[in-house]
Amino acid sequence: MQIKPTRAFVLLLAILTLPAAAAAGDNASPLRPLKAPAPPAIDGILDDAIWREAPSVSGFKTWSPDFGRDMAEDTRVYYAYDRDNLYFAYRCFDSDPAKIKASISKRDAIRPDDWVAINLDSFNDQQSLYTFYVNPLGIQMDARFAAGKEDYGVDLVWYSAGVIDSEGYTVEIRIPLKSIRFSQKDPVEMGVIFERRLNRHSQLGTFPPLDPKKGDNWLIQTRPLLYEGLEQKALLEVLPGFTLARSSSAREGRLVSAGNDADFSLTAKYGITSHLVLDATYNPDFSQVEADAGQIDFNQRYTLFYAEKRPFFLEGREIFHFGGSYSGDYLREAVHTRTIVNPPAGAKVAGKIGDRNTIAALYALDEDINSGGDRAQFGIFRYKRALAEDSHLGAFYTERNEAGHANRVVGADGQHRLSKASRMGYHAFYSNDSRDATDAEGHALGLDFFHSTRDLTVMAGIQDISEDFHTGTGFVTRTGVTRFRSGILKPLYPKEGFVKRVDPTVHSTQIRDRFSGRYETENWGQVRFIFPRSASVTVGYGYSTEVFLGEKFQTSGLRVLGSGQFTKQVFASFQYRNARKIRYVGNPYQGSGNDVSAALRCQPTEKIETQLNLTFSDFSAGGVKEFDYTIVRSRNTYQVNRHLFFRAILEYNNFRDRLTTDLLVSFTYIPGTVVHFGYGSLYERLEWREGAYRPGRSLAETARGFFFKAS
């Protein structure tokens, strides 16, 4: 494979030689947790002896909507440990406990609530964070943060409890050392930022306070935590799983059963070291417990993106985030594991080797899509080298081979801290795609600059993707483009009044379509207003054009967004856009239309929640409406306790004229130890007439399925 370097590539190679920024360093002394003689009972009540002896911190300051303000309510955090666990406790004062926003919900569904969080850099290398969120009733959410992105797909095993009382609420947390990766040194130094959200005050605050001059650059602002005598535990998990499914489909006017399908799977996790883990799976069941929410799939230029939800692929996924990327870029992911559809077997190694080297390697066989007997084979390798602060250098190699087709991508990426408020990221990927004895070579280059302080945010980036760039393991929406983007946000902070912050933003994007040589543009100006009760409204207008099949079209329009927690029980959000549009067909033409998405969430009690979502799009040309597309989705949950819930989903698609139902009973003791009972059906406006299915007047059931899963 011979590839000629471009000027942009030469520039990126020069950047790779830049020295890493010198560590800024926070001279604050490390926090030294209490080594507990006896573990506390994790019941949410701070009556154990450990919390009378443990050190604590307070003095939280806001970072949103403004930096450095005293929070409306006081917070104190205690910290301790023993050989097997890390312990934390929060005392969150509240002058009006009746207004605390909390719900008994399933795991990972507490984002709208009041909550506390522990942002833990377990290696104190400023490369990534574990984040453990807990609401006032002890319900959990967890995430991994790396390369500027927070990934909520991870599910760790840890324990928490919370209690609302007359002074506010208290939370206790136990994090087993086997659930996280950390260094083998003694003492072990970690980094931490404690966080709290006050929903009705629209406040987010931390200890240590975030520096306004460093903005929301979290990784370089942690406070050291020093642990002595931590015990390195051997990690071994074996997760057998069993699935029983029964499906029926319409045939000649009636539902015909396809019979029962029983399957056994086995997944194992082994800790090679305390921070390098091997995952292996045989015959995994990769069916999802909950179907993806419907998306508008008509008159779309790009393939729809669906997030990864399958547990085997989630651990270590943050390692595949790459430098020089930004939300909305055409190269969205270099490794998108949903391209692996149904593997009979797979293996993965992810974690650290030494203090600064991180690797991830994945191999999987996939189902035989072409029915030719040859399965697709996936090989993926990722390497990262940590530099000073949150800087890093990295490399990628991905490969996909199947009958008559081979795809390989190789590349480098990195991020450099330029100052306490500025960073620069970059990537250079090259692909070789062989299909039917023909080779195509291409590249994807990116350079991104980001500067963030309390008073100013500046973004700029360059992206160049050649016409023949292909990735068999990633997700790219458009090729043959050179793009420059820039944006400026200048927050305004009213001294008093109902408006908490005003965010005027201007951004501009200029694109050259390499296929036609024509240029397109996107220029937006918008203003966001932030109010109490986590409410905000954004109004903007943009002048924009788009090139499609060599022709240039108008896409200018108005955009309005809003959301808010109007009462403790009701949250609503909406997005509306009225703009010029393109009809994406072989002979494209100009039109206009509206796009609407809205959500209403009602929580009449701590255990019952109803969500109603609306998605709508239409298109008109020459004064004639050509189509409108509406999806209405209702999701209703009764959460008996943190482990058991009943859920019913109804979704109606008027464009496809179909109704789907999805019923589920789910029990989750801890992640990986679960039991699910599910039932789903599909109704379509069809009827069996004259030996064929034809459009009908009423909805008829055309498919039905039942499943049982346990692991």
Side-chain angles (χ1 to χ4, degrees):
M1 180 173 67
Q2 184 177 2
I3 302 170
K4 296 179 180 179
T6 64
R7 291 183 179 179
F9 181 51
V10 172
L11 174 62
L12 285 177
L13 288 178
I15 292 169
L16 288 173
T17 65
L18 288 174
D26 185 351
N27 293 325
S29 59
L31 304 177
R32 295 181 178 272
L34 170 72
K35 190 163 187 179
I42 305 301
D43 55 12
I45 302 173
L46 309 189
D47 58 354
D48 301 273
I50 184 176
W51 305 128
R52 292 192 294 271
E53 302 172 16
S56 64
V57 294
S58 58
F60 278 55
K61 300 289 185 180
T62 63
W63 69 271
S64 179
D66 194 2
F67 285 84
R69 305 286 181 90
D70 290 333
M71 295 194 74
E73 308 288 352
D74 292 333
T75 310
R76 182 167 290 277
V77 187
Y78 303 85
Y79 37 94
Y81 73 106
D82 58 25
R83 294 191 310 168
D84 302 312
N85 304 279
L86 308 183
Y87 300 104
F88 299 93
Y90 272 83
R91 158 50 76 184
C92 298
F93 295 95
D94 198 301
S95 56
D96 193 347
K99 293 182 179 179
I100 293 172
K101 176 73 173 69
S103 58
I104 298 176
S105 66
K106 71 169 187 174
R107 184 187 180 97
D108 295 333
I110 66 169
R111 198 69 184 174
D113 290 351
D114 284 81
W115 45 255
V116 297
I118 299 164
N119 299 277
L120 188 67
D121 179 355
S122 59
F123 288 91
N124 201 30
D125 60 0
Q126 302 177 323
Q127 298 295 309
S128 63
L129 294 170
Y130 292 99
T131 303
F132 302 89
Y133 298 90
V134 186
N135 81 353
L137 298 175
I139 308 302
Q140 301 176 354
M141 180 169 71
D142 41 22
R144 287 286 276 154
F145 178 84
K149 299 176 184 177
E150 189 162 18
D151 185 350
Y152 295 95
V154 65
D155 281 320
L156 305 170
V157 177
W158 52 291
Y159 304 89
S160 61
V163 173
I164 298 176
D165 57 27
S166 60
E167 295 183 293
Y169 67 93
T170 53
V171 165
E172 286 182 296
I173 297 168
R174 175 167 71 90
I175 303 172
L177 292 174
K178 288 197 293 185
S179 293
I180 62 174
R181 313 294 166 244
F182 57 95
S183 72
Q184 295 178 311
K185 297 178 179 179
D186 190 13
V188 172
E189 187 172 287
M190 302 187 186
V192 71
I193 297 178
F194 300 112
E195 189 177 9
R196 181 182 179 185
R197 180 177 194 252
L198 282 164
N199 177 286
R200 70 182 185 275
H201 295 289
S202 297
Q203 285 186 343
L204 289 162
T206 65
F207 179 91
L210 298 188
D211 185 345
K213 295 180 181 179
K214 297 180 181 178
D216 58 355
N217 292 288
W218 286 66
L219 288 170
I220 62 172
Q221 300 189 63
T222 59
R223 183 77 173 264
L225 269 170
L226 206 60
Y227 294 98
E228 296 181 356
L230 288 188
E231 188 157 323
Q232 305 290 333
K233 292 288 186 179
L235 173 64
L236 177 62
E237 292 180 2
V238 179
L239 297 175
F242 176 74
T243 303
L244 175 65
R246 182 182 181 89
S247 62
S248 303
S249 58
R251 192 178 305 167
E252 298 183 355
R254 62 190 182 91
L255 285 176
V256 178
S257 173
N260 297 327
D261 183 14
D263 229 344
F264 176 79
S265 65
L266 188 66
T267 300
K269 186 187 297 289
Y270 172 67
I272 301 171
T273 69
S274 63
H275 45 266
L276 183 66
V277 175
L278 168 67
D279 290 271
T281 185
Y282 168 73
N283 193 33
D285 171 40
F286 279 164
S287 59
Q288 295 176 203
V289 172
E290 181 173 318
D292 295 299
Q295 299 185 50
I296 292 175
D297 56 4
F298 184 74
N299 199 43
Q300 300 293 312
R301 178 169 185 171
Y302 308 125
T303 304
L304 296 178
F305 179 86
Y306 292 97
E308 181 61 85
K309 298 179 180 180
R310 301 170 297 179
F312 174 75
F313 293 114
L314 294 179
E315 180 167 345
R317 189 171 63 169
E318 75 282 352
I319 300 173
F320 295 115
H321 298 166
F322 58 92
S325 66
Y326 188 75
S327 175
D329 282 356
Y330 297 127
L331 179 58
R332 184 161 180 173
E333 292 188 355
V335 176
H336 181 49
T337 48
R338 284 193 70 152
T339 57
I340 306 171
V341 180
N342 187 25
K348 179 179 65 174
V349 176
K352 281 186 175 288
I353 298 176
D355 293 335
R356 294 192 170 273
N357 302 303
T358 300
I359 66 164
L362 186 152
Y363 174 80
L365 292 171
D366 204 358
E367 64 182 357
D368 178 17
I369 299 174
N370 301 315
S371 300
D374 292 328
R375 297 182 180 273
Q377 298 186 62
F378 289 80
I380 297 168
F381 179 77
R382 166 65 157 149
Y383 170 77
K384 285 179 68 177
R385 171 72 177 179
L387 304 176
E389 297 189 294
D390 57 348
S391 302
H392 74 264
L393 292 174
F396 274 90
Y397 177 80
T398 71
E399 180 174 325
R400 175 175 179 160
N401 290 289
E402 53 195 318
H405 181 210
N407 176 268
R408 295 174 180 84
V409 175
V410 61
D413 77 302
Q415 176 175 287
H416 286 272
R417 173 63 51 186
L418 303 178
S419 70
K420 59 186 177 183
S422 304
R423 66 175 185 265
M424 178 178 62
Y426 44 86
H427 62 262
F429 295 108
Y430 285 88
S431 69
N432 178 270
D433 197 76
S434 301
R435 190 186 301 266
D436 300 325
T438 62
D439 282 358
E441 296 178 351
H443 67 257
L445 310 175
L447 180 66
D448 177 70
F449 172 80
F450 184 78
H451 171 89
S452 175
T453 67
R454 172 188 183 270
D455 298 310
L456 182 67
T457 298
V458 178
M459 301 159 283
I462 302 172
Q463 189 177 27
D464 184 74
I465 304 179
S466 67
E467 298 92 317
D468 292 323
F469 178 77
H470 298 283
T471 170
T473 62
F475 189 87
V476 59
T477 55
R478 184 177 177 183
T479 61
V481 289
T482 302
R483 183 172 76 155
F484 173 78
R485 54 174 171 75
S486 60
I488 298 176
L489 164 65
K490 182 67 175 75
L492 304 174
Y493 303 93
K495 292 184 178 180
E496 56 185 37
F498 188 64
V499 179
K500 300 297 183 183
R501 194 175 82 202
V502 181
D503 289 344
T505 305
V506 176
H507 61 86
S508 177
T509 302
Q510 311 304 319
I511 297 173
R512 179 178 181 267
D513 178 65
R514 296 167 64 117
F515 290 100
S516 65
R518 305 191 71 173
Y519 290 85
E520 55 190 80
T521 187
E522 182 179 350
N523 306 280
W524 277 92
Q526 65 182 37
V527 181
R528 179 175 66 156
F529 301 90
I530 297 177
F531 307 103
R533 290 199 169 274
S534 301
S536 67
V537 173
T538 302
V539 180
Y541 181 83
Y543 171 77
S544 57
T545 60
E546 183 178 331
V547 176
F548 181 66
L549 296 183
E551 296 186 52
K552 183 183 288 189
F553 299 91
Q554 278 281 331
T555 56
S556 304
L558 170 74
R559 180 169 60 188
V560 181
L561 302 86
S563 64
Q565 187 77 46
F566 296 101
T567 70
K568 183 178 176 179
Q569 292 78 27
V570 179
F571 173 87
S573 65
F574 73 93
Q575 296 185 39
Y576 170 72
R577 187 168 187 245
N578 175 266
R580 307 292 299 279
K581 289 186 172 184
I582 305 169
R583 185 70 172 92
Y584 296 112
V585 290
N587 186 22
Y589 51 92
Q590 185 74 66
S592 62
N594 303 281
D595 294 285
V596 179
S597 64
L600 178 66
R601 183 171 59 246
C602 182
Q603 186 188 340
T605 72
E606 290 179 345
K607 296 185 176 183
I608 298 175
E609 180 180 273
T610 296
Q611 296 183 36
L612 185 64
N613 294 83
L614 169 70
T615 305
F616 170 83
S617 182
D618 67 3
F619 182 89
S620 300
V624 178
K625 180 177 285 190
E626 296 193 5
F627 72 85
D628 61 63
Y629 198 130
T630 304
I631 301 173
V632 179
R633 179 180 174 91
S634 173
R635 190 178 192 278
N636 309 279
T637 305
Y638 174 54
Q639 191 83 32
V640 180
N641 52 48
R642 70 170 64 196
H643 305 296
L644 175 66
F645 71 83
F646 297 82
R647 189 214 62 212
I649 294 177
L650 300 176
E651 182 175 292
Y652 179 68
N653 184 318
N654 85 317
F655 187 81
R656 304 293 179 190
D657 219 352
R658 60 177 56 169
L659 171 70
T660 57
T661 68
D662 186 359
L663 309 177
L664 179 70
V665 180
S666 177
F667 178 84
T668 302
Y669 177 63
I670 57 174
T673 303
V674 299
V675 178
H676 304 294
F677 293 90
Y679 172 85
S681 57
L682 171 65
Y683 296 84
E684 299 179 272
R685 210 173 293 277
L686 296 172
E687 63 181 36
W688 180 259
R689 190 172 66 247
E690 299 174 358
Y693 279 102
R694 305 180 189 277
R697 294 183 179 180
S698 58
L699 291 168
E701 189 176 19
T702 58
R704 179 188 300 166
F706 165 84
F707 74 88
F708 166 79
K709 294 179 68 172
S711 68

